[in-house]
Amino acid sequence: PLTKTRAVICALSLCMVGVSIPPAIASWYLRQAEQALPPARPYFLTKAILWDADPSHRYKLGLAYLTLAETNPAAKTILLREALLHSGIALDWDPQHLQFRLLQAGILWRLGRVEDAKHLLP
């Protein structure tokens, strides 16, 4: 028979499973992004962000767009602006994080905003 204690334990177990599903799905998308060719990485990283809003995922997405910008001169400015958007979100979460600051500075530098970039450097 299902007692109150067992019912509570079952309910808590289901809650724990429910809470663990989004990070697991995000992790799967992150692995896919690592294995994908550079043009496909933003797709998988964007999917990961939908499941887990960790700022490090935004950092990785900004870095992926920066990498694409370096190899695609025709779309360089558009890709750099997209990189700036995501690196800026990561930096807003943790303004003192060195990697976030360096990525933002690198993107700003490439966009010609040298003075803004200098303010982010250590």
Side-chain angles (χ1 to χ4, degrees):
L2 188 63
T3 64
K4 287 183 183 180
T5 305
R6 286 185 182 169
V8 169
I9 291 172
C10 286
L12 288 173
S13 297
L14 287 174
C15 288
M16 289 173 55
V17 168
V19 169
S20 67
I21 289 174
I25 294 172
S27 179
W28 184 85
Y29 279 117
L30 290 170
R31 279 193 305 277
Q32 297 305 307
E34 289 171 3
Q35 298 169 0
L37 295 174
R41 287 183 187 144
Y43 169 80
F44 291 112
L45 292 167
T46 301
K47 292 290 189 178
I49 289 167
L50 293 174
W51 289 97
D52 183 4
D54 188 310
S56 68
H57 304 339
R58 291 286 185 164
Y59 166 82
K60 290 175 186 176
L61 184 54
L63 188 58
Y65 278 118
L66 174 61
T67 301
L68 288 176
E70 294 297 316
T71 60
N72 190 346
K76 185 174 186 169
T77 303
I78 293 168
L79 292 167
L80 286 173
R81 288 182 180 156
E82 195 66 27
L84 186 65
L85 169 72
H86 296 289
S87 68
I89 292 170
L91 193 59
D92 286 345
W93 278 68
D94 189 353
Q96 300 307 315
H97 195 288
L98 182 60
Q99 285 183 312
F100 296 173
R101 293 173 67 85
L102 291 176
L103 178 60
Q104 185 84 347
I107 295 166
L108 289 169
W109 192 283
R110 286 169 179 82
L111 284 169
R113 295 173 51 188
V114 176
E115 288 303 315
D116 293 333
K118 286 181 182 178
H119 290 288
L120 292 169
L121 298 175

